[in-house]
Amino acid sequence: MDDASMVGLTGRVTGTIGPGLVGEVIVRIRGGAEHFLAYPVDPGERIESGTVVTVVEYLAPRTVYVASAYGS
């Protein structure tokens, strides 16, 4: 999976993301769903479980930076 194919995908937060926290998101990809470690694009933002997010940056193999898909 290359960086460009991950950026722009949406997922759902399964473990709260925020300052001092390594969160988790599940993203539908490659015909299934996979979990990734997640950080907020805005370092001060807290994103709660259940929030729909967009992948803004991908760091192979399992880390993404995300932003809330529908604002805060």
Side-chain angles (χ1 to χ4, degrees):
M1 170 113 323
D2 65 6
D3 297 0
S5 59
M6 280 292 294
V7 172
L9 293 179
T10 58
R12 185 167 305 274
V13 176
T14 56
T16 301
I17 302 166
L21 300 173
V22 177
E24 183 182 65
V25 298
I26 188 167
V27 178
R28 288 196 172 276
I29 191 163
R30 294 186 278 262
E34 296 183 23
H35 289 266
F36 293 85
L37 298 177
Y39 295 93
V41 170
D42 173 358
E45 184 178 16
R46 183 177 175 94
I47 306 173
E48 299 294 333
S49 291
T51 304
V52 175
V53 293
T54 301
V55 176
V56 177
E57 185 176 350
Y58 169 64
L59 301 174
R62 308 294 307 165
T63 302
V64 292
Y65 283 79
V66 298
S68 179
Y70 303 112
S72 32

